[in-house]
Amino acid sequence: MPSLDEDLIALLGPDRVSVSDADLATHSTDKWFASHPPQVVVHAKCVEDVSKTLRYANEHGIPVTPQGARVGYVGGAVPSKGGIALSVFGMNRILEINTADGVAVVEPGVITGDLQKAVRELGWFYPPDPASLKECSLGGNIATNAGGPRCLKYGVTRHYVLGLEAVLADGSIVKAGGRCHKNKTGFDLVGLMVGSEGMLGVVTQATLRLIPHPPMRAMLSAGFASFAEAANAVQRILNSGFLPSALEIADKFTLRAAREYLGESVTPQGDAHLLVEIDGHEPSVIGELGLLAKLVRDLGCLDLQEAIGEEACERFWKLRREFSYSLRNTGLIKLNEDIVVPRSKLVDLVEFAERLQAEHGFAVASFGHAGDGNIHVNIMVPTMDDPLIRERAEVALDQLFRQIIAWNGAITGEHGVGIAKKRWWREAVSTAAHETHLRVKAALDPKGILNPGKFLE
C-alpha cells in the first residue's frame, strides 16, 4: 500500500514533495516555541498544487497546515496534528502592479517589504507594515490580518484586500471580490478569509489596494520621565486634532535593553519613549511638525528630536524596530503578547505589568502602537524548559489576559490566536460568537482537516 508521501509524489511530482529530516524539522514550527513535525511537506508552486493536495487530504481525512514564511508568534503554522505541511512560500510572484486601477496582484509567498519597495518605486504605497515586513509573507499577513505602526491612520491588512483566490478544504477554488475599490456583490467572503488563520481556506492569490505614496514624512522622537506622561501626550496629540500615521510608545525596561544593545547615544532620555510620525505634502507636514513639537515640549518631555524626510525618519524607525532584538539580547526568552486595550487604559496596563513583575519576578517590557491601544507586552523569562519557571510564566500570562478581557480589550491585535492564545479564546468571545465560528468552520471544512489543533478545538 503506498505511503502518504508516495501518493503525493504520484499526484504532484517529486519536486513538490519532501520527507527529508531537515525539511520536516524546518516546517515543524514558527517563531513561537511550540513544535510538531508534519509527516510530509508539500511545496506548492501553483493553485493547482494546492487544490490537488487539499482534495486528496479531504478524501483521506489527513490534517493540512498551511504555511508561508512561518514567522508568526502564536504557533499558527505548527502542524499540531502532523499530516501535511502545505507551504505556499514558493508562490512568490508579484503578478501585476497597476497604478491606474490602484491595485497589486500577488501570490501569497511575496514578502511584504518587497511589495512595498516595488510599489514605492512607482510612487505608490501599500501601508500595512508589520515589524517583520522584511521576512513575513503577504499570505501570512492575510491569514492573521496583520497590522503594524501605521494602523492608526491607514488601517490593517483587511482594509487593503480587494479580492482573493482561495482553495477550500475540498479542493474547490473560490474567487471573491475583485479589483474594484467598492464592491457589495453578495456576502463579504474576502473579509471572512482575512484573519481566518488558515482554518477556512488557503489563499493562493490576492488583489491588494494601493494608494498614492505621501510625498513627505516627518517624525518626532521624545523621551519622558514616566510612561504616564508619554501616554498623556498620546491623548493630547489626538485631542488636539492631529492624526499621525503612527504613534509608538515604549516603557523603561524596553529602553534599558535598547541602551545596552544599541548604546546610549541612539536612545532617548527618561523611562518612556514616544515616536510620532506624520505624512502628506511638504508644506502641511512642515507646519504640522512645528505645532506638534511645541505641544510635546509643553507637555514636559525630557528631550525632543525631529526628523524630516525618508532617510532621517528611517533612523528613528530603526530604533523602534530594534526594540525586539534588544530584548532578545538580554538573554531572556520574550513571551510576546500583542494585546489591545482601550486607549484610556494604557497607563493602567503598564501599572498592571509592573505588578506582574513584582509578583512573579519576571521582567515585563511593554512597547507598541499607542495610537490604537495595541501594546506588545513581553514577559521575559530565562527559559520555558524548566517546569517550575514555565508554570510561573503561565500564571502570569493568565493574569494578564484575564485583566485584558475584564477591560473589554482584545487578546490579540495582529498576531492571531493560533495555539499560544487558545486557552483564552472562549473567555474572549461570547457563546453565540463561538458557536457561529464553529458553524462557519463546519460549512467550509466539514472534516476539519484545515489547520487542526488551533483555537476552534
Side-chain angles (χ1 to χ4, degrees):
M1 183 175 178
S3 62
L4 174 59
D5 59 297
E6 289 171 336
D7 275 354
L8 290 171
I9 288 171
L11 185 67
L12 304 170
D15 61 326
R16 302 289 203 266
V17 181
S18 173
V19 290
S20 73
D21 290 343
D23 230 10
L24 295 179
T26 295
H27 292 272
S28 68
T29 189
D30 57 11
K31 284 202 169 182
W32 201 47
F33 60 83
S35 176
H36 192 284
Q39 291 171 256
V40 61
V41 180
V42 169
H43 295 280
K45 299 296 183 183
C46 61
V47 64
E48 289 78 16
D49 290 345
V50 176
S51 178
K52 289 178 182 178
T53 301
L54 289 180
R55 186 177 298 113
Y56 172 88
N58 194 58
E59 289 173 356
H60 294 85
I62 298 168
V64 178
T65 302
Q67 297 182 338
R70 296 175 298 97
V71 294
Y73 283 111
V74 295
V78 175
S80 304
K81 304 292 185 180
I84 301 169
L86 175 56
S87 174
V88 295
F89 194 50
M91 298 173 64
N92 56 10
R93 295 176 298 165
I94 298 175
L95 300 172
E96 179 186 1
I97 297 174
N98 189 315
T99 58
D101 285 349
V103 300
V105 182
V106 300
E107 292 182 326
V110 173
I111 298 299
T112 305
D114 291 346
L115 175 66
Q116 289 182 337
K117 181 180 179 182
V119 301
R120 178 67 181 93
E121 290 172 355
L122 300 174
W124 285 72
F125 191 26
Y126 179 71
D129 61 332
S132 57
L133 62 90
K134 292 182 180 179
E135 54 183 348
C136 64
S137 57
L138 288 163
N141 291 179
I142 291 167
T144 60
N145 191 24
R150 295 193 185 109
C151 294
L152 174 62
K153 181 174 181 179
Y154 289 106
V156 294
T157 298
R158 173 174 68 221
H159 302 118
Y160 293 87
V161 183
L162 298 175
L164 285 178
E165 174 187 82
V167 183
L168 303 184
D170 63 0
S172 58
I173 301 171
V174 173
K175 295 186 178 182
R179 59 196 296 129
C180 296
H181 289 237
K182 286 185 176 180
N183 188 340
K184 180 54 196 78
T185 310
F187 293 149
D188 184 8
L189 299 181
V190 171
L192 185 65
M193 285 292 171
V194 177
S196 62
E197 301 192 34
M199 291 190 286
L200 300 181
V202 180
V203 172
T204 51
Q205 191 178 112
T207 301
L208 304 175
R209 178 168 73 101
L210 307 178
I211 62 176
H213 199 287
M216 171 64 75
R217 54 196 285 228
M219 295 183 72
L220 296 176
S221 174
F224 284 88
S226 70
F227 194 93
E229 290 177 275
N232 176 60
V234 170
Q235 296 289 13
R236 288 289 299 275
I237 287 168
L238 296 171
N239 289 341
S240 299
F242 296 102
L243 182 57
S245 52
L247 267 174
E248 297 286 298
I249 201 166
D251 73 353
K252 59 185 177 184
F253 187 89
T254 305
L255 289 175
R256 190 180 310 138
R259 288 176 187 127
E260 291 176 0
Y261 183 57
L262 301 170
E264 296 276 349
S265 62
V266 297
T267 50
Q269 300 176 38
D271 283 343
H273 180 222
L274 185 67
L275 268 182
V276 187
E277 182 182 73
I278 55 176
D279 58 19
H281 283 274
E282 183 173 351
S284 62
V285 168
I286 297 301
E288 196 169 323
L289 184 67
L291 294 173
L292 274 168
K294 182 180 185 307
L295 173 61
V296 174
R297 285 194 186 94
D298 290 346
L299 291 172
C301 67
L302 298 177
D303 69 65
L304 184 68
Q305 299 178 51
E306 299 181 10
I308 300 174
E310 293 284 330
E311 186 175 340
C313 287
E314 280 305 308
R315 285 197 291 271
F316 281 177
W317 277 118
K318 185 177 187 300
L319 169 63
R320 165 61 179 86
R321 293 183 183 120
E322 292 286 350
F323 282 162
S324 187
Y325 298 100
S326 299
L327 293 174
R328 291 175 192 164
N329 186 62
T330 63
L332 300 172
I333 294 174
K334 181 167 65 76
L335 302 181
N336 181 3
E337 308 301 342
D338 65 321
I339 53 84
V340 190
V341 295
R343 206 164 49 224
S344 62
K345 295 290 187 183
L346 286 175
V347 175
D348 294 329
L349 173 63
V350 170
E351 290 176 349
F352 181 80
E354 289 175 351
R355 292 198 296 274
L356 280 183
Q357 180 171 314
E359 180 179 349
H360 297 287
F362 300 127
V364 180
S366 301
F367 66 91
H369 320 314
D372 52 29
N374 180 197
I375 302 298
H376 296 272
V377 178
N378 301 268
I379 297 178
M380 310 294 294
V381 299
T383 179
M384 287 296 276
D385 295 329
D386 184 316
L388 293 177
I389 291 176
R390 181 165 183 162
E391 182 179 357
R392 285 168 49 212
E394 297 291 359
V395 171
L397 288 171
D398 274 334
Q399 291 177 328
L400 171 65
F401 281 104
R402 293 204 166 99
Q403 183 61 70
I404 298 310
I405 293 168
W407 281 332
N408 293 314
I411 63 173
T412 175
E414 49 194 15
H415 294 168
V417 180
I419 304 171
K421 298 178 175 67
K422 180 178 176 179
R423 69 179 184 268
W424 302 291
W425 156 254
R426 286 296 290 111
E427 295 178 51
V429 298
S430 69
T431 298
H434 178 242
E435 290 174 351
T436 301
H437 276 74
L438 294 177
R439 290 191 190 104
V440 172
K441 172 70 169 173
L444 297 183
D445 181 17
K447 293 187 178 180
I449 66 163
L450 279 173
N451 211 5
K454 306 311 188 295
F455 65 89
L456 282 183
E457 290 190 5

